[in-house]
Amino acid sequence: MLQATLSCQNGHTSVRSEAPAAGEILAAQPGKPVLPGIYSIAAWKVDLAGKTIALVANHSSVIGRTHLLDTLLSLGLDVRVVFAPEHGFRGDHPDGSKVSSTVDEKSGVPIQSLYGSKKKPSTDALRDVDVVIFDIQDVGARFFTFLSTLHYAMEAAAESGIAFWVLDRPNPNGFYVDGPVLKPEFKSFVGLHPVPIVYGMTIGEYAQMIKGEAWIAQADKLTLRIVPCANYDRSKPYFPELNPSPNLSSPEAILLYPSLCLFEGTNVSVGRGTDAPFTVIGAPGNTDGDYQFKPEVKPGISSSPPHLGAVCKGYNLKDNVDRGDPLPSLDFSWLLRMYSESPDKKNFFLPSGFFEKLAGTEELRISIIAGQSLNEIAVSWQKDIADFKIVRAKYLIYP
């Protein structure tokens, strides 16, 4: 199976094993399949010979259906440890649940969790490592925690003098840039960097920005290598074969996620604990809306969803998304609607301040309470977006 996969990929001459020079944009070849960086393994595996390797990986780190760990081991490469993000190495831990360190049953390679008491690889864990390889599917929203895992893994590598590789993957929300830019006082694990909610970059491009803007300690000491995708054009629809996380289980959910995740800082459910997470919204006590659902425990997906067992009334938004031609902007109209229809506006925003962490600012909450229109709210972040796009342009690899 592995040999067939490698042979197939060797036929795609557009695959490159190194990032383009600064200012060079990779041209996509019409009619050719979009291939994540892992698929050019025949070109870059030779540079790993004799080196000890650490992986930052999860269930999405696959070539076809074969995991990166299994592929590297089958090639005789020396993988010493795997670091797992939120949802675990196999992607089967519910949202927010702590992930324990363990050992991969198939290979015997130790797996250390980066979602629990430690979110950064330790110096001891990297002591015998020459190269850290990061290969995780992103969805292009600032609050997706794999970005924070990327940040801390890069910083650990920089501090230990270890090379850091990113096997790039297309961003299904890479076709636009929108939303408030995070302010420093709202930094958290659901947002570490001064970027908009939707930043329009692949994980490889983003890694270049983390290093180039010195957002990590000792960034200048980090040797960073990006293994780019082949034939990726950010303006074309792209959806990963595997769900990026347990609750992003459809193309519609992936597209709606950047707009709906802010509801997680409110008393509105986004459908966790249902068969349609991040495509439905509702809350107990609501009298408006033409759709209702009841969250329940779903092993491996949602262990304690908001409003467990309660009937939530609201809306099914799946038909509002055209996966072939999605609108290039966030849609906060549902946020404003649910607030206006809420029978308990005083408790609409959770007292934890999680809404502000997700939004990256307190201004959005203040504007909603003040009754500002969608256009008035969107105007407030246009200058910040324009400034961000100037920074972003330095690190783009694809058209």
Side-chain angles (χ1 to χ4, degrees), residues 296-361:
E296 59 186 30
V297 172
K298 288 189 172 293
I301 299 176
S302 291
S303 57
S304 183
H307 306 311
L308 177 64
V311 174
C312 298
K313 192 170 184 181
Y315 302 92
N316 185 341
L317 306 183
K318 190 170 185 177
D319 291 339
N320 291 72
V321 179
D322 182 348
R323 68 173 72 179
D325 186 26
L327 292 175
S329 64
L330 290 168
D331 188 350
F332 287 163
S333 63
W334 299 104
L335 184 61
L336 270 63
R337 171 178 285 195
M338 292 301 288
Y339 179 77
S340 69
E341 294 177 354
S342 174
D344 185 12
K345 292 181 175 57
K346 183 179 179 181
N347 293 307
F348 182 82
F349 296 100
L350 301 181
S352 63
F354 192 51
F355 182 88
E356 288 80 359
K357 289 181 179 179
L358 293 170
T361 175

Side-chain angles (χ1 to χ4, degrees), residues 57-59 61-63 65-71 89-90:
N58 67 358
H59 68 287
S61 313
V62 293
I63 178 169
R65 293 292 177 178
T66 304
H67 198 278
L68 175 62
L69 173 61
D70 300 326
T71 299
F89 179 58
R90 299 296 179 187

Side-chain angles (χ1 to χ4, degrees), residues 63-111:
I63 178 169
R65 293 292 177 178
T66 304
H67 198 278
L68 175 62
L69 173 61
D70 300 326
T71 299
L72 296 181
L73 292 176
S74 73
L75 294 171
L77 296 172
D78 188 0
V79 181
R80 297 292 179 89
V81 62
V82 176
F83 297 104
E86 183 180 8
H87 306 301
F89 179 58
R90 299 296 179 187
D92 54 2
H93 285 66
D95 52 281
S97 64
K98 300 305 179 185
V99 180
S100 300
S101 297
T102 183
V103 173
D104 180 51
E105 292 183 3
K106 182 175 180 180
S107 65
V109 174
I111 299 174

Side-chain angles (χ1 to χ4, degrees), residues 190-211:
V190 292
L192 289 173
H193 310 123
V195 303
I197 287 177
V198 180
Y199 43 81
M201 306 174 79
T202 67
I203 198 79
E205 292 172 327
Y206 200 98
Q208 292 189 144
M209 187 166 61
I210 289 176
K211 172 177 165 59

Side-chain angles (χ1 to χ4, degrees), residues 183-229:
K183 295 183 176 180
E185 60 266 36
F186 296 102
K187 286 175 61 174
S188 72
F189 199 66
V190 292
L192 289 173
H193 310 123
V195 303
I197 287 177
V198 180
Y199 43 81
M201 306 174 79
T202 67
I203 198 79
E205 292 172 327
Y206 200 98
Q208 292 189 144
M209 187 166 61
I210 289 176
K211 172 177 165 59
E213 298 302 307
W215 289 340
I216 56 171
Q218 302 186 39
D220 58 323
K221 296 182 179 180
L222 180 66
T223 300
L224 176 64
R225 176 172 175 176
I226 310 300
V227 179
C229 308

Side-chain angles (χ1 to χ4, degrees), residues 16-316:
R16 294 172 51 157
S17 61
E18 295 183 6
E24 179 190 358
I25 300 294
L26 295 182
Q29 296 188 26
K32 294 284 189 177
V34 177
L35 299 173
I38 189 174
Y39 279 85
S40 63
I41 187 170
W44 51 261
K45 67 176 182 176
V46 294
D47 296 331
L48 296 173
K51 292 183 169 60
T52 53
I53 303 166
L55 301 182
V56 184
N58 67 358
H59 68 287
S60 70
S61 313
V62 293
I63 178 169
R65 293 292 177 178
T66 304
H67 198 278
L68 175 62
L69 173 61
D70 300 326
T71 299
L72 296 181
L73 292 176
S74 73
L75 294 171
L77 296 172
D78 188 0
V79 181
R80 297 292 179 89
V81 62
V82 176
F83 297 104
E86 183 180 8
H87 306 301
F89 179 58
R90 299 296 179 187
D92 54 2
H93 285 66
D95 52 281
S97 64
K98 300 305 179 185
V99 180
S100 300
S101 297
T102 183
V103 173
D104 180 51
E105 292 183 3
K106 182 175 180 180
S107 65
V109 174
I111 299 174
Q112 295 197 10
S113 172
L114 297 182
Y115 194 76
S117 59
K118 293 181 180 180
K119 292 182 170 59
K120 180 177 176 178
S122 67
T123 302
D124 286 344
L126 294 174
R127 191 173 304 281
D128 297 321
V129 171
D130 298 319
V131 180
V132 176
I133 300 178
F134 183 102
D135 181 26
I136 293 177
Q137 178 65 55
D138 183 33
V139 296
R142 186 187 63 222
F143 27 66
F144 208 50
T145 61
F146 299 157
L147 283 184
S148 296
T149 297
L150 173 69
H151 171 106
Y152 288 121
M154 288 177 65
E155 188 169 70
E159 292 169 345
S160 295
I162 297 170
F164 195 92
W165 290 22
V166 176
L167 307 186
D168 210 2
R169 289 182 175 271
N171 174 3
N173 283 303
F175 52 89
Y176 71 111
V177 177
D178 200 7
V181 171
L182 182 137
K183 295 183 176 180
E185 60 266 36
F186 296 102
K187 286 175 61 174
S188 72
F189 199 66
V190 292
L192 289 173
H193 310 123
V195 303
I197 287 177
V198 180
Y199 43 81
M201 306 174 79
T202 67
I203 198 79
E205 292 172 327
Y206 200 98
Q208 292 189 144
M209 187 166 61
I210 289 176
K211 172 177 165 59
E213 298 302 307
W215 289 340
I216 56 171
Q218 302 186 39
D220 58 323
K221 296 182 179 180
L222 180 66
T223 300
L224 176 64
R225 176 172 175 176
I226 310 300
V227 179
C229 308
N231 302 309
Y232 173 57
D233 181 339
R234 75 183 77 248
S235 68
K236 307 296 184 184
Y238 172 86
F239 300 102
E241 239 184 279
L242 301 178
N243 297 337
S245 66
N247 281 285
L248 295 183
S249 53
S250 68
E252 291 83 2
I254 291 172
L255 292 172
L256 285 166
Y257 174 73
S259 297
L260 299 190
C261 190
L262 291 179
F263 278 116
E264 306 238 73
T266 74
N267 66 3
V268 175
S269 166
V270 293
R272 291 188 186 271
T274 75
D275 293 328
F278 286 102
T279 63
V280 299
I281 52 175
N286 277 19
T287 56
D288 295 281
D290 54 9
Y291 184 79
Q292 67 181 37
F293 56 90
K294 183 186 294 186
E296 59 186 30
V297 172
K298 288 189 172 293
I301 299 176
S302 291
S303 57
S304 183
H307 306 311
L308 177 64
V311 174
C312 298
K313 192 170 184 181
Y315 302 92
N316 185 341

